[in-house]
């Protein structure tokens, strides 16, 4: 079993370079299936969710070549099957993007119900609504979602709820559909714009991505393309918070400052020093920080994927802070672990009340999901003493070389392998 072992107290100093955006990559990789040619993707993050997406492509018959650590060549022209292998697909949330792409390519798709972080109820009703609106039949049985269509026709779709996944799946399903498809109440995250730009670079005709109305005029063919994925807004935000929390001085490189505005504005309000440059931001920590209230909302609101990380920062701020989780039913599973380190947090449904404390102390803790794990790393970097974090596979799904990047700016963090509990019992 692998753990991160952190000896807290070092202020982070130096430069961190951000990798490609996980939530863009896991949408763009399935979309490459639609190319009648070779796609070369650059700035692809080397993370487990991407690896699983590429393994699914290869298992379906695509030729996937690693040109270097972050550049991938994909030739999907030989994919004949519209069924995604069950076990691989159920391990990640983004496998459901194969539904939209395979429906587009074959008028048929069969993919397991998605997996992903346990954040409460995560239905796919809006995805199914889109496929049906375009003219497909949908069936869920034996853990698989199967969609079939005689012919898909462009239409108008209004999302009952702002959803990143369903907005992306609708774009993927509609990109080659005859006529005009209009998505209303669409999500506006940076990775939605990135996917639209990728598809348009293949010859698609998508307008309005990044606004709440996206217009997709179907095209007959999509060509191969070369495309570089945008930097990861949430990875950047995570390191910005880590720099602030440790009172450090860190320049975060390879970012798009505009994508970070929902995060930077909150940090500035807390008293964190931020200098913006063309493709980097410099964070200077000036502890102690002001308390603050946060509510997570769809982009351009404060991102839910930054909520646990800010909670870790607010545990050491002065006064009482309130976090309201506006997107998921259950995104406070990390709170119990922060309490082990001395945090003073009370949770009531979607609201967490955080009383600032003078210090945190290192403790053995467990990552419940990707961003909960990131929050524990931030807390461990600030805590007095040693923090051991279990279940770090959650973290490695979405952060490339996190321990390496943190060590490079002075953090005392190691990835260590420990005998699994059953091995310990066997040794008794
Ligand atoms: C994507 O998840 C991200 N995952 C999540 O990031 C992110 O938290 C989320 O968008 C919101 O930004 C990937 O991109 C792989 P949603 P997704 O559809 O698409 C409800 C991370 O840490 N909903 O925008 O699943 C849903 O239950 C992960 O990187 C419906 O009700 O999110 C949730 O409450 C965690 N019906 C809300 O909408 C639907 O059909 C937002 O979900 C779909 C969603």
């Amino acid at each position: 079993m692998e753990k991160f072992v952190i000896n807290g107290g070092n202020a982070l100093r130096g430069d961190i370079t951000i990798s490609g955006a996980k939530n863009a990559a896991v949408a763009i990789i399935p979309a490459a299936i639609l190319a009648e040619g070779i796609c070369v993707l650059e700035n692809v993050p080397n993370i487990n969710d991407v690896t699983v997406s590429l393994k699914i492509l290869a298992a379906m018959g695509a030729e996937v070549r690693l040109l270097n650590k972050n550049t991938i060549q994909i030739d999907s022209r030989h994919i004949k099957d519209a069924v995604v292998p069950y076990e691989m697909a159920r391990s990640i949330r983004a496998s459901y993007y194969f539904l939209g792409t395979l429906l587009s390519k074959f008028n048929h798709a069969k993919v397991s119900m998605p997996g992903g972080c346990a954040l409460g109820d995560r239905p796919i009703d809006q995805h199914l609504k889109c496929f049906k609106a375009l003219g497909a039949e949908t069936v869920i049985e034996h853990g698989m979602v199967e969609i079939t269509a005689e012919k898909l026709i462009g239409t108008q779709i209004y999302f009952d709820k702002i959803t990143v996944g369903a907005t992306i799946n609708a774009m993927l399903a509609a990109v080659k559909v005859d006529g005009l498809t209009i998505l209303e109440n669409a999500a506006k995250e940076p990775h939605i714009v990135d996917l639209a730009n990728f598809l348009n670079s293949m010859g698609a005709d998508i307008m309005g991505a990044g606004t709440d109305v996206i217009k997709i005029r179907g095209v007959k063919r999509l060509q191969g393309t070369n495309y570089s994925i945008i930097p990861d807004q949430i990875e950047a935000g995570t390191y910005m918070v880590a720099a602030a929390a440790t009172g450090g001085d860190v320049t975060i490189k390879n970012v798009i400052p505009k994508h970070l505005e929902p995060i930077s504005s909150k940090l500035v309000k807390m008293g964190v020093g931020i200098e913006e440059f063309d493709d980097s931001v410099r964070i200077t920590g000036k502890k102690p920080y002001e308390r603050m209230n946060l509510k997570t909302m769809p982009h351009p609101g404060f991102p839910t994927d930054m909520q646990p990380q800010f909670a870790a920062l607010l545990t050491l701020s002065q006064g009482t802070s309130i976090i309201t989780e506006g997107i998921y039913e259950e995104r406070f599973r990390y709170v119990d672990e922060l309490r082990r380190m001395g945090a003073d947090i009370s949770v009531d449904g979607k609201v967490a009340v955080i009383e600032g404390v003078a210090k945190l102390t290192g403790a053995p803790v467990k990552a419940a999901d990707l961003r909960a794990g990131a929050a524990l790393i931030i807390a461990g970097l600030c805590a007095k003493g040693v923090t051991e974090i279990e279940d770090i596979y959650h973290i490695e799904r979405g952060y490339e070389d996190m321990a390496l990047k943190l060590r490079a700016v002075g953090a005392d963090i190691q990835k260590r392998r420990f005998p699994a509990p059953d091995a310990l019992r066997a040794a008794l």
Side-chain angles (χ1 to χ4, degrees):
M1 167 177 49
E2 290 183 318
K3 296 180 185 177
F4 282 139
V5 180
I6 303 171
N7 195 355
N10 299 0
L12 303 184
R13 295 194 192 295
D15 297 347
I16 292 181
T17 300
I18 297 305
S19 302
K22 165 178 91 81
N23 293 344
V26 296
I28 286 171
I29 288 168
I33 287 178
L34 300 174
E36 295 176 25
I38 289 177
C39 290
V40 175
L41 303 180
E42 295 171 357
N43 202 35
V44 180
N46 180 22
I47 54 177
N48 293 350
D49 273 17
V50 162
T51 304
V52 171
S53 300
L54 294 170
K55 281 182 175 171
I56 289 173
L57 275 191
M60 296 178 69
E63 186 189 304
V64 178
R65 285 183 59 206
L66 209 53
L67 303 185
N68 66 45
K69 184 181 169 211
N70 300 107
T71 304
I72 293 158
Q73 179 179 289
I74 298 171
D75 182 349
S76 309
R77 287 175 289 189
H78 310 299
I79 288 185
K80 297 282 182 286
D81 194 353
V83 180
V84 174
Y86 187 88
E87 278 315 315
M88 285 185 199
R90 71 174 297 181
S91 66
I92 59 170
R93 180 123 202 107
S95 54
Y96 58 23
Y97 294 144
F98 286 95
L99 286 169
T101 38
L102 292 168
L103 180 65
S104 235
K105 189 177 181 83
F106 297 117
N107 275 5
H108 177 224
K110 193 172 179 182
V111 184
S112 89
M113 287 293 280
C117 293
L119 303 170
D121 184 25
R122 297 180 80 178
I124 61 167
D125 58 302
Q126 297 301 301
H127 298 246
L128 301 178
K129 171 181 176 173
C130 295
F131 300 142
K132 288 176 192 165
L134 289 165
E137 300 290 324
T138 66
V139 172
I140 295 180
E141 57 185 14
H142 310 304
M144 301 289 279
V145 183
E146 183 161 16
I147 41 180
T148 47
E150 288 302 313
K151 180 164 177 47
L152 296 169
I153 303 285
T155 183
Q156 191 147 354
I157 299 168
Y158 180 86
F159 290 106
D160 304 320
K161 182 163 200 172
I162 296 176
T163 147
V164 167
T167 301
I168 287 177
N169 241 336
M171 283 164 62
L172 294 168
V175 69
K176 291 176 66 184
V177 169
D178 287 348
L180 179 64
T181 299
I182 300 176
L183 308 180
E184 294 186 295
N185 199 25
K188 301 184 266 192
E189 272 68 4
H191 33 289
I192 291 191
V193 178
D194 208 28
L195 174 67
N197 291 340
F198 171 68
L199 290 168
N200 284 339
S201 78
M202 294 160 76
D205 182 354
I206 301 174
M207 293 163 289
T211 74
D212 55 3
V213 179
I214 300 176
K215 292 183 180 173
I216 304 156
R217 195 171 293 284
V219 295
K220 289 272 176 274
R221 298 165 56 88
L222 292 171
Q223 312 302 329
T225 185
N226 284 20
Y227 191 79
S228 182
I229 290 172
I230 54 168
D232 193 311
Q233 166 203 38
I234 304 301
E235 184 195 16
T238 301
Y239 290 121
M240 290 164 74
V241 171
T246 59
D249 180 352
V250 177
T251 298
I252 316 273
K253 296 184 161 182
N254 186 34
V255 299
I256 299 172
K258 178 146 186 58
H259 292 171
L260 302 178
E261 277 171 5
I263 299 163
S264 309
S265 59
K266 300 296 181 190
L267 290 174
V268 167
K269 202 173 161 194
M270 292 177 68
V272 177
I274 297 189
E275 276 177 277
E276 282 187 7
F277 305 94
D278 289 345
D279 61 356
S280 63
V281 288
R282 182 180 176 190
I283 305 296
T284 42
K286 298 172 181 161
K287 296 195 288 188
Y289 299 119
E290 295 300 314
R291 43 113 7 240
M292 186 169 62
N293 294 341
L294 284 173
K295 179 176 169 65
T296 66
M297 291 184 281
H299 191 77
F302 178 73
T304 176
D305 293 346
M306 283 301 303
Q307 183 259 87
Q309 299 92 312
F310 265 78
L313 177 63
L314 289 167
T315 62
L316 290 166
S317 300
Q318 288 180 318
T320 305
S321 301
I322 298 174
I323 294 182
T324 306
E325 174 52 53
I327 305 292
Y328 290 109
E329 280 184 350
E330 197 181 310
R331 194 165 205 168
F332 292 122
R333 292 172 64 210
Y334 60 88
V335 166
D336 271 340
E337 302 305 299
L338 286 180
R339 287 185 184 128
R340 289 172 185 278
M341 301 174 74
D344 179 353
I345 308 178
S346 55
V347 173
D348 180 4
K350 292 194 167 192
V351 177
V353 178
I354 302 174
E355 298 295 344
V357 293
K359 72 177 170 69
L360 295 175
T361 55
V365 290
K366 283 189 178 181
D369 60 61
L370 168 58
R371 308 303 176 185
L376 295 176
I377 286 181
I378 291 167
L381 291 171
C382 306
K384 295 202 181 323
V386 177
T387 298
E388 286 188 3
I389 303 175
E390 271 185 58
D391 296 341
I392 60 171
Y393 61 90
H394 287 296
I395 301 169
E396 295 187 322
R397 287 183 48 201
Y399 288 96
E400 179 176 341
D401 296 337
M402 192 165 199
L404 206 62
K405 291 187 179 185
L406 285 170
R407 274 201 300 275
V409 288
D412 180 351
I413 176 172
Q414 302 294 332
K415 182 157 83 169
R416 297 249 179 84
R417 188 176 294 278
F418 292 81
D422 44 9
L424 286 173
R425 274 194 291 278
L428 291 177

